[in-house]
Amino acid sequence: MAGYLTTHVLDTARGCPAGGLRIDLYKVEGETRSHLKTLTTNADGRTDEQILPQDAFETGTYELVFHAGDYLDASGIPPESPRFLDVIPLRFGMSEAAHYHVPLLLSPFGYSTYRGS
């Protein structure tokens, strides 16, 4: 089985997918963080393509950076200055060639994640 990476962002405050949320993917090697790509979630809260497809998959440490503040601003959540959650980095390891699904459950004052399927 070849590995690949996906995500799904749900707006738990509004009870719907978080469409239009920008996500950056980085590979982390020691103190070096290399930007690999930027994607935006669609109306279903997913990206239109795999974040890290099979042909680019490598085991290692990665970081997904979710630009939650921009999404919350665009969705009409009253802004704070500064916003409690703005940029959410999730650093995780992929140790085998498998499907890694790293979802984000988001509200203006909290988030959670897990390794999904």
Side-chain angles (χ1 to χ4, degrees):
M1 168 189 237
Y4 60 102
L5 173 64
T6 60
T7 192
H8 189 194
V9 185
L10 298 173
D11 182 331
T12 57
R14 297 185 325 151
C16 64
L21 192 146
R22 183 168 48 103
I23 303 168
D24 289 312
L25 173 66
Y26 294 88
K27 176 124 191 221
V28 180
E29 297 176 284
E31 296 299 315
T32 303
R33 189 171 159 248
S34 303
H35 182 261
L36 300 179
K37 67 170 39 172
T38 299
L39 298 161
T40 302
T41 57
N42 59 26
D44 191 38
R46 301 175 188 275
T47 57
D48 289 332
E49 60 187 68
Q50 295 170 349
I51 295 173
L52 192 60
Q54 293 178 3
D55 63 351
F57 183 87
E58 294 178 359
T59 58
T61 302
Y62 290 84
E63 188 171 273
L64 286 172
V65 177
F66 297 87
H67 295 270
D70 293 342
Y71 165 79
L72 294 168
D73 289 347
S75 66
I77 303 295
E80 309 163 283
S81 184
R83 190 172 275 291
F84 180 70
L85 290 176
D86 186 16
V87 176
I88 301 171
L90 296 180
R91 189 168 288 188
F92 56 95
M94 297 191 294
S95 60
E96 61 182 323
H99 176 197
Y100 286 83
H101 184 68
V102 182
L104 182 72
L105 306 176
L106 173 65
S107 79
F109 299 102
Y111 67 91
S112 65
T113 190
Y114 56 94
R115 181 176 173 187
S117 58

